[in-house]
Amino acid sequence: MSEKEGKSGNADGDSENLKPPQDGNFPSCSRVAVRVPAFWANNVKLYFAQIEANFRIAGIVSEQTKFDTLVAALDPQTLTHVSDLLYTPPTDNPYNALKNRLLSEFEVSQNKKVRALLEDLDLGDRKPSLLLRQMQELSEGLVDDAFLKNLWLNRLPVNIRTILSISSESLSKLAEMADRMHEYNLREVAAVKAIKPEYCTSELKEMELQISELSKQIETLNACFESLNAKKRHSRSRSESRERNNRLCFYHYKFGDRAHKCIKPCSFQNNGIKPSEISVASETLVYGRRLYVQDRITKTQFLVDTGSDVSCYPKSYLNEVLKLQGTTLFAANGSHIKTFGSKLLSLDLGLQRKLQWPFVIADITKPIIGADFLQQFGLLVDLKKRCLLDPITNSKCMGRAGFSDIPNVKTISGNSEYHELLNRYKGITKLNSTFPKAIIHNTLHFIPTSGPPVTRSIEDDILVFSKDKTEHTQHLEQIFKRFVDFGITINESKCEFGKPQVDFLGHTINNEGILPMSTKVKAIQEFPKPETVSQLRSFLGMINFYHRFIPKIAEILAPLNAYLVGSKKRDKTKIKWNPETDASFDKIKKCLADATLLSHPSTDAKLALVTDCSDFAMGGVLNEITPKGPKPLGFFSKKLTPTQAKYSAYDRELLAAYSAIQYFRHMLEARPFALYVDHKPLTYAFKQNSDKCSPRRLRQLDFISQFTTDIRYVPRKENVVADSLSRVCEIQFSSLADLKLWESSQNSDPELKGILEGKIKFSGDLMKVQMPDSEISLYCNVNSESNRFYVPGELRRKIFDNLHNMSHPGIRATKALIASRYCWPNQNKDITNWCRACIPCQKSKVHQYTKAPVSQFLPPDARFSHVHLDLIGPLPISGGFRYCLTMVDRFTRWPETVPLLDAKAETVAIAFMFNWISRFGLPQKVTCDQGGQFESGLFQMLTRMFGIQCVRTAAFHPSSNGMVERMHRP
């Protein structure tokens, strides 16, 4: 039944009070279709006028229905204002109570209306009639028409106000006339601020600017007048006057030391005048006449400066706390300008489009539109006509020309040859850079380079090192071009160019090498003796930062490191110093003061790695062999663990060589070098029988052989010839180390011939590679990071047996182990088959993860002896029911469903007992899921009392109860 039916029986009454029919047949009521708009907090009265019109159209007269409809239309923020009425609604007239509350909460007060009427209203882009209508709504009939007319006319343009002020027509007629005049005056009408009878801030600002301009012009005229008087007083010839002008400017000639300005060129030199003042004065006279434009939205005056690299916005214009940023700008006089981030501004300059651009927040006095803004939007400056031209929209923005002493804002400061180069690539130094072409890469952290390395990038810093100034300029130009191509910008205030020595990441870098910074070393030397374990840990952390400059540092710090054993993170335990720890503390300070200069590595010099190991520490030094002798490139030192300290001398020396190569791996890769040890038996490591090697030795020798097999004894410096191809395989068998065998096998391999002729598919790129220290060339796959040897058919199983039998890894690990060194067609398939056929692997393989077979329900032997239960819901409400209990007999497949009001355990137990047990008897078994209703104590007590076995299905596995779950499918 709709509430519209109330019109026929009881038009004036409430639809809820209609008497029901006597026969008991109640007609159904679905709902009343009403379009309710969203709540308008800014105009509550107008909102209620519209919603009540909708109520009348729908025939809604019930207070409760209106109340519910209004609540449904309110947003969450508005509901918080009337939450008390929602929780406890009044019994009488709830809609009117809610309406009055919203009116009192959101209706604009009379004081605000008067303030808006007198101050805040502008014409803007509206018609004059709309402005008048809004003013009449704010006045609410409390202001007479004469005063309202005066206020309305003051907000109209001058030409319209002049015509309408002498008319005696009514306000409605005047509004129509103003609309027609406004249509013919659209290009001149702007958002005119309401002019107050006593004062106007916009006109006062304009008058102040004009007065300041006039005062500057008067000052200039006075200076010219004094110059003429000076010429008349001093009877000098024209040549003497010209000679005087070539030496001194007017201000210094006239006032001497007391001059506050200077005009270049001027030969006057005095410390009394600040260079910045002289430079700014010069810039003012040369670039004094500037163009100012106004933003129509904020009424802010912007200085258009084509000489400024970036657009800036004054910090003083923002009422918020800003943090100082690392970027620094420069004035034309060379002084620094602090920056405080950026702010995205949307300017309306009357060019028929909005101009959005990020302005740099800086410590300046006036907003500046710089060259970056003009370039981005293609704007042209016409100083003669005092306007900005927009070729895109064919519009112009009229401004005003005036004198300004604000210097240009630059992103580059300096006049060296490197800064001249930087000026040619200004785009990389601008804060809002716009590059002429699209970025050619799709990543932000990698730029491919080729040729000899000239740069080193660490996080966001770039080091460029060159032999001389000419090469340095060439390198910088290459880097700047890359920056432009890849869209990278730099902060010029943090850059240093052409420096013979730089401090970087706590180190001093020069042309000879690298050393710890003297200031850091001094701070460590002055560090007091630690009193607690926590202080000692801080001291050792500072020392370890420069560990590569100190030989055998682990051995020196061993007594101090002993205090850290078993200590906590912030241990305040007092340290008991003894002569040994005192000597260690003093020695490490002395060693740091005498830190070794580490040379820069050369790409073509020979390398030598010297390692040594004592009873409790191991160390090494990487030297570069030069005509002047060996130069250290770095030191390595590490304390042995208690387990490693128990190794034999041979194993400790091997461990030192293995660890040193790991440490200097980035410098030793793809470089030939000799490994010097002071343990002679180690020189025969690659010649001994494999039976004498433990698995740990084999792993370490395998890693060492990937870099070098040239191990020499330090005293005698004996050379041991080793083949780089053999790696650790030379220990296992000598046949694979025979290069001639590899060459003959590859030449006679029919599969290799088919690959080279293109008859057999192969994913790699095979090329002949010259073997080191040999005239033999072998086919290798050069597509991978390291060259992998092509294995002919007769050697493949030998390669597999020797690598797989070392530790019998799994199929995946064996594939990775062999693929890192060798390649052949169908390699993964062969390795898989051989691993599965490996007898030792099959014997030792442990099957931990066995899957149990899927169990099945035994079919019952009688009907209603096994019942499946399940609960479904919540569902759409029907007759007050939201849930259903489904019951299925497993023997007969007889289903029954009982509707439930809720899903409580008590409700489910009662429904099962009165709808199934009472009709079909007690079942022997019940299958259900692990729902809360079936796991409750009530349901468990029910099954125990009736002697029913309860079978639970697996969690999150509905297929276990498939008989009843299948009925729930849509």
Side-chain angles (χ1 to χ4, degrees):
M1 180 183 68
S2 173
E3 288 192 357
K4 292 182 179 180
E5 298 178 12
K7 294 180 181 179
S8 59
N10 187 10
D12 299 330
D14 195 341
S15 62
E16 291 185 353
N17 297 326
L18 295 176
K19 295 182 179 180
Q22 298 297 329
D23 56 358
N25 296 325
F26 294 94
S28 61
C29 176
S30 57
R31 62 176 181 175
V32 179
V34 184
R35 291 186 61 186
V36 181
F39 182 70
W40 307 338
N42 56 349
N43 199 336
V44 186
K45 284 187 176 180
L46 188 60
Y47 173 77
F48 279 106
Q50 183 180 18
I51 193 174
E52 289 176 356
N54 290 333
F55 289 158
R56 288 191 295 272
I57 293 174
I60 299 176
V61 295
S62 170
E63 279 282 326
Q64 185 63 37
T65 305
K66 290 181 180 181
F67 177 81
D68 296 338
T69 306
L70 178 58
V71 170
L74 298 180
D75 56 276
Q77 186 176 2
T78 307
L79 288 174
T80 57
H81 294 274
V82 293
S83 58
D84 56 335
L85 293 179
L86 299 182
Y87 295 141
T88 56
T91 56
D92 297 335
N93 300 326
Y95 169 73
N96 289 330
L98 181 59
K99 174 182 176 182
N100 295 331
R101 171 68 67 82
L102 292 174
L103 287 173
S104 63
E105 288 285 343
F106 294 97
E107 183 65 18
V108 181
S109 63
Q110 194 67 31
N111 292 333
K112 291 183 178 180
K113 289 182 180 180
V114 173
R115 187 180 301 109
L117 181 64
L118 297 177
E119 299 179 0
D120 298 338
L121 286 183
D122 288 331
L123 177 61
D125 296 332
R126 296 176 294 182
K127 291 183 177 181
S129 58
L130 295 178
L131 176 63
L132 177 61
R133 191 174 300 116
Q134 185 177 3
M135 296 177 68
Q136 289 173 344
E137 292 177 0
L138 293 175
S139 63
E140 296 182 346
L142 301 177
V143 181
D144 59 347
D145 291 345
F147 183 70
L148 187 63
K149 174 183 177 182
N150 188 23
L151 290 177
W152 176 61
L153 290 177
N154 286 335
R155 285 161 172 79
L156 299 181
V158 178
N159 53 351
I160 300 178
R161 181 171 67 242
T162 305
I163 297 174
L164 297 181
S165 60
I166 60 176
S167 177
S168 59
E169 298 288 342
S170 63
L171 284 176
S172 59
K173 293 292 184 180
L174 292 177
E176 294 178 2
M177 296 171 59
D179 287 346
R180 290 194 296 269
M181 297 172 64
H182 185 264
E183 292 178 359
Y184 294 101
N185 197 33
L186 284 178
R187 300 183 64 87
E188 297 181 3
V189 174
V192 179
K193 189 71 177 177
I195 301 175
K196 302 177 183 179
E198 296 181 359
Y199 60 90
C200 180
T201 57
S202 60
E203 290 188 358
L204 285 176
K205 290 183 178 178
E206 188 174 356
M207 292 176 63
E208 289 176 358
L209 291 174
Q210 293 177 357
I211 292 171
S212 62
E213 292 175 7
L214 289 174
S215 62
K216 292 178 181 178
Q217 293 179 5
I218 293 172
E219 184 180 354
T220 305
L221 292 175
N222 289 335
C224 296
F225 181 74
E226 292 176 359
S227 177
L228 293 174
N229 290 338
K231 290 182 179 180
K232 291 180 180 179
R233 286 196 302 266
H234 302 280
S235 57
R236 296 185 178 179
S237 63
R238 188 178 298 272
S239 60
E240 291 176 350
S241 177
R242 187 180 297 111
E243 182 180 0
R244 187 262 303 169
N245 288 333
N246 290 336
R247 293 194 305 269
L248 297 176
C249 67
F250 163 75
Y251 294 102
H252 285 107
Y253 179 78
K254 177 67 177 177
F255 302 102
D257 296 345
R258 294 179 290 106
H260 294 286
K261 293 184 179 180
C262 178
I263 304 176
K264 295 183 178 180
C266 177
S267 60
F268 183 83
Q269 297 181 356
N270 191 353
N271 295 331
I273 301 177
K274 298 181 180 179
S276 60
E277 295 177 351
I278 297 175
S279 178
V280 171
S282 175
E283 292 286 338
T284 303
L285 293 175
V286 178
Y287 305 99
R289 195 162 183 82
R290 306 286 182 87
L291 177 65
Y292 289 88
V293 295
Q294 186 178 24
D295 179 24
R296 295 189 174 186
I297 300 176
T298 61
K299 311 300 182 186
T300 304
Q301 295 282 342
F302 285 82
L303 170 64
V304 180
D305 189 0
T306 57
S308 295
D309 293 340
V310 293
S311 302
C312 301
Y313 197 76
K315 174 194 173 186
S316 57
Y317 281 34
L318 301 175
N319 296 325
E320 50 186 283
V321 180
L322 301 173
K323 292 184 179 180
L324 184 65
Q325 301 292 327
T327 306
T328 304
L329 299 177
F330 305 94
N333 55 12
S335 60
H336 290 224
I337 301 176
K338 299 178 181 179
T339 61
F340 304 88
S342 62
K343 182 178 180 62
L344 184 64
L345 299 182
S346 180
L347 305 185
D348 183 6
L349 302 179
L351 300 177
Q352 300 181 8
R353 58 170 174 158
K354 293 292 182 65
L355 308 176
Q356 283 192 348
W357 187 250
F359 281 69
V360 179
I361 302 175
D363 191 8
I364 57 177
T365 57
K366 294 241 180 235
I368 298 176
I369 294 179
D372 58 340
F373 184 94
L374 301 176
Q375 178 185 1
Q376 175 67 18
F377 299 105
L379 304 180
L380 304 176
V381 181
D382 190 345
L383 190 59
K384 182 178 180 181
K385 296 182 179 180
R386 296 175 297 175
C387 64
L388 274 179
L389 304 178
D390 189 355
I392 298 178
T393 60
N394 292 326
S395 303
K396 63 180 179 179
C397 169
M398 298 303 298
R400 64 176 184 83
F403 289 93
S404 174
D405 57 353
I406 301 176
N408 299 334
V409 178
K410 301 290 185 180
T411 57
I412 302 173
S413 176
N415 53 4
S416 65
E417 54 183 322
Y418 304 113
H419 290 87
E420 293 177 1
L421 177 64
L422 199 59
N423 278 319
R424 288 158 46 190
Y425 300 92
K426 275 190 175 181
I428 66 175
T429 60
K430 291 184 179 179
L431 298 175
N432 304 321
S433 299
T434 54
F435 296 95
K437 57 182 179 180
I439 306 304
I440 63 176
H441 68 94
N442 56 1
T443 183
L444 299 177
H445 61 275
F446 173 73
I447 302 176
T449 59
S450 60
V454 299
T455 65
R456 181 69 183 271
S457 176
I458 302 178
E459 294 183 356
D460 59 345
D461 295 329
I462 297 177
L463 298 180
V464 183
F465 44 93
S466 312
K467 296 180 180 179
D468 49 34
K469 287 186 177 181
T470 304
E471 187 182 50
H472 195 58
T473 305
Q474 296 174 357
H475 288 167
L476 287 177
E477 188 168 6
Q478 295 176 10
I479 296 297
F480 292 165
K481 287 180 180 178
R482 287 292 183 92
F483 287 168
V484 173
D485 294 339
F486 291 92
I488 298 177
T489 59
I490 62 175
N491 187 353
E492 193 271 341
S493 62
K494 294 184 178 180
C495 298
E496 294 182 351
F497 301 100
K499 300 292 184 180
Q501 177 175 301
V502 294
D503 293 333
F504 186 73
L505 295 180
H507 298 80
T508 299
I509 305 173
N510 53 33
N511 59 343
E512 296 181 358
I514 180 172
L515 273 173
M517 284 179 58
S518 58
T519 55
K520 302 293 183 182
V521 173
K522 184 178 179 181
I524 295 176
Q525 287 179 336
E526 296 177 354
F527 195 89
K529 184 178 291 187
E531 297 180 357
T532 63
V533 176
S534 179
Q535 294 177 0
L536 177 62
R537 183 178 281 110
S538 301
F539 173 75
L540 294 179
M542 292 188 295
I543 292 294
N544 286 327
F545 185 75
Y546 297 109
H547 68 279
R548 61 179 182 146
F549 297 93
I550 304 174
K552 299 182 179 181
I553 185 175
E555 185 175 348
I556 300 173
L557 294 178
L560 298 178
N561 286 326
Y563 288 118
L564 304 181
V565 178
S567 62
K568 299 179 181 179
K569 186 175 181 180
R570 297 179 181 177
D571 200 338
K572 302 297 183 182
T573 305
K574 297 292 183 179
I575 296 177
K576 296 180 180 180
W577 292 88
N578 54 51
E580 185 181 6
T581 54
D582 290 338
S584 176
F585 184 76
D586 296 336
K587 185 176 181 180
I588 194 62
K589 286 187 174 182
K590 184 178 182 302
C591 291
L592 186 61
D594 302 333
T596 306
L597 174 70
L598 300 183
S599 302
H600 297 301
S602 177
T603 56
D604 54 354
K606 294 183 179 180
L607 299 179
L609 179 61
V610 183
T611 62
D612 188 18
C613 188
S614 63
D615 294 337
F616 52 86
M618 56 183 170
V621 55
L622 181 61
N623 292 324
E624 184 179 76
I625 308 303
T626 63
K628 297 182 180 180
K631 291 185 177 180
L633 299 180
F635 295 99
F636 162 73
S637 183
K638 187 177 181 181
K639 184 182 177 182
L640 296 177
T641 63
T643 303
Q644 293 171 347
K646 298 177 183 179
Y647 290 174
S648 63
Y650 181 92
D651 289 337
R652 289 200 304 269
E653 294 289 345
L654 181 61
L655 177 63
Y658 169 76
S659 302
I661 292 176
Q662 271 191 327
Y663 183 80
F664 295 111
R665 179 173 185 168
H666 63 286
M667 303 180 68
L668 297 176
E669 284 182 329
R671 295 282 301 274
F673 68 95
L675 177 61
Y676 292 94
V677 297
D678 60 354
H679 192 69
K680 192 172 184 179
L682 196 60
T683 59
Y684 302 98
F686 292 101
K687 291 183 177 181
Q688 62 182 340
N689 194 342
S690 60
D691 297 337
K692 297 182 180 180
C693 294
S694 63
R696 184 183 68 248
R697 288 185 185 179
L698 288 177
R699 291 194 302 269
Q700 293 174 352
L701 288 173
D702 178 37
F703 180 79
I704 294 173
S705 63
Q706 297 177 29
F707 294 87
T708 185
T709 54
D710 187 5
I711 303 179
R712 305 179 186 182
Y713 183 49
V714 175
R716 298 181 181 178
K717 301 202 188 280
E718 296 177 355
N719 290 324
V720 178
V721 180
D723 191 5
S724 61
L725 178 63
S726 63
R727 305 192 181 213
V728 79
C729 297
E730 188 171 353
I731 302 173
Q732 299 288 339
F733 54 98
S734 59
S735 60
L736 291 180
D738 190 358
L739 294 180
K740 293 183 179 180
L741 174 63
W742 279 80
E743 185 181 23
S744 60
S745 299
Q746 286 187 352
N747 293 334
S748 61
D749 187 49
E751 200 169 15
L752 178 59
K753 292 181 181 179
I755 294 174
L756 297 177
E757 294 174 0
K759 298 179 181 180
I760 300 177
K761 292 184 179 180
F762 185 68
S763 59
D765 187 9
L766 296 180
M767 293 181 61
K768 275 200 171 185
V769 178
Q770 182 74 30
M771 295 295 101
D773 301 331
S774 177
E775 298 178 356
I776 298 176
S777 299
L778 298 179
Y779 282 99
C780 299
N781 184 6
V782 297
N783 277 350
S784 56
E785 296 181 358
S786 59
N787 295 337
R788 298 184 297 159
F789 296 98
Y790 177 84
V791 183
E794 61 183 81
L795 299 178
R796 293 173 186 173
R797 187 54 191 259
K798 292 182 180 180
I799 292 291
F800 170 80
D801 291 340
N802 284 272
L803 291 178
H804 179 74
N805 292 342
M806 293 176 63
S807 58
H808 289 280
I811 297 176
R812 186 181 302 173
T814 306
K815 287 179 181 179
L817 180 65
I818 298 177
S820 63
R821 295 167 171 83
Y822 307 102
C823 65
W824 67 80
N826 299 324
Q827 180 178 350
N828 291 337
K829 183 178 179 181
D830 294 342
I831 295 173
T832 302
N833 295 333
W834 293 335
C835 286
R836 289 174 178 174
C838 180
I839 301 302
C841 288
Q842 300 302 322
K843 289 182 179 180
S844 60
K845 187 174 182 63
V846 179
H847 298 276
Q848 295 181 353
Y849 307 102
T850 57
K851 293 184 179 179
V854 179
S855 61
Q856 298 180 353
F857 287 107
L858 295 177
D861 53 357
R863 62 180 180 177
F864 306 125
S865 62
H866 190 172
V867 184
H868 291 261
L869 303 180
D870 193 19
L871 192 67
I872 184 173
L875 301 173
I877 300 176
S878 177
F881 300 103
R882 298 191 63 184
Y883 298 88
C884 289
L885 176 65
T886 307
M887 300 169 288
V888 181
D889 176 37
R890 184 166 185 80
F891 185 81
T892 61
R893 304 302 198 266
W894 176 260
E896 288 204 7
T897 302
V898 179
L900 305 178
L901 294 173
D902 53 59
K904 296 180 180 179
E906 181 181 359
T907 306
V908 174
I910 292 174
F912 177 59
M913 186 172 62
F914 287 100
N915 290 276
W916 186 274
I917 296 177
S918 63
R919 296 169 57 202
F920 304 114
L922 292 173
Q924 298 177 2
K925 188 183 296 184
V926 171
T927 301
C928 57
D929 57 19
Q930 298 185 25
Q933 298 82 0
F934 304 117
E935 294 294 322
S936 64
L938 176 64
F939 195 83
Q940 296 297 325
M941 183 182 298
L942 177 68
T943 56
R944 285 197 303 268
M945 183 176 62
F946 289 150
I948 303 174
Q949 180 186 357
C950 187
V951 180
R952 300 175 181 82
T953 62
F956 305 104
H957 198 266
S959 59
S960 302
N961 200 10
M963 181 168 291
V964 67
E965 292 286 353
R966 194 176 293 111
M967 296 187 61
H968 295 163
R969 293 185 299 184

